[in-house]
Amino acid sequence: MTAAPQDASRADARRNRRKVLAAASQAFDEQGLDVSLGAIARQAGVGAGTVYRHFPSKEILLEAVLVQQLDDLVETARQWAARTDPAAAFFGFLL
């Protein structure tokens, strides 16, 4: 019975991390790198402690945002490659 609460807390932590990454990506796009971690926490709907627990510094958060964006690009490229010929996939991905 102790496994369920741990699983729930991990799922909650993963969800909060995703919310912080999404809010940070948007905040960096709209306000630049000077945006505070507190502002990102408010935008994500979480407490500042949640942000600092996952990302102890703004640099670490920015790195995580960039890694997430690159992972998203790789996934998009894989989807294009899986559904069409190489030339069409390449140009479709670029467009």
Side-chain angles (χ1 to χ4, degrees), residues 2-79:
T2 59
Q6 289 175 345
D7 291 342
S9 68
R10 280 185 251 157
D12 186 48
R14 285 190 303 270
R15 184 173 45 254
N16 284 341
R17 187 177 193 282
R18 285 191 304 269
K19 288 168 57 174
V20 170
L21 283 173
S25 180
Q26 183 178 357
F28 289 144
D29 285 347
E30 293 174 356
Q31 301 172 42
L33 297 178
D34 291 332
V35 65
S36 71
L37 291 179
I40 291 170
R42 283 189 297 280
Q43 188 168 338
V46 300
T50 299
V51 175
Y52 284 101
R53 185 170 33 260
H54 290 283
F55 309 101
S57 71
K58 191 185 303 184
E59 291 79 16
I60 292 170
L61 177 55
L62 177 60
E63 180 181 335
V65 167
L66 294 174
V67 167
Q68 180 64 54
Q69 290 174 347
L70 287 173
D71 287 346
D72 291 347
L73 283 172
V74 168
E75 180 57 30
T76 300
R78 284 186 177 137
Q79 289 172 3

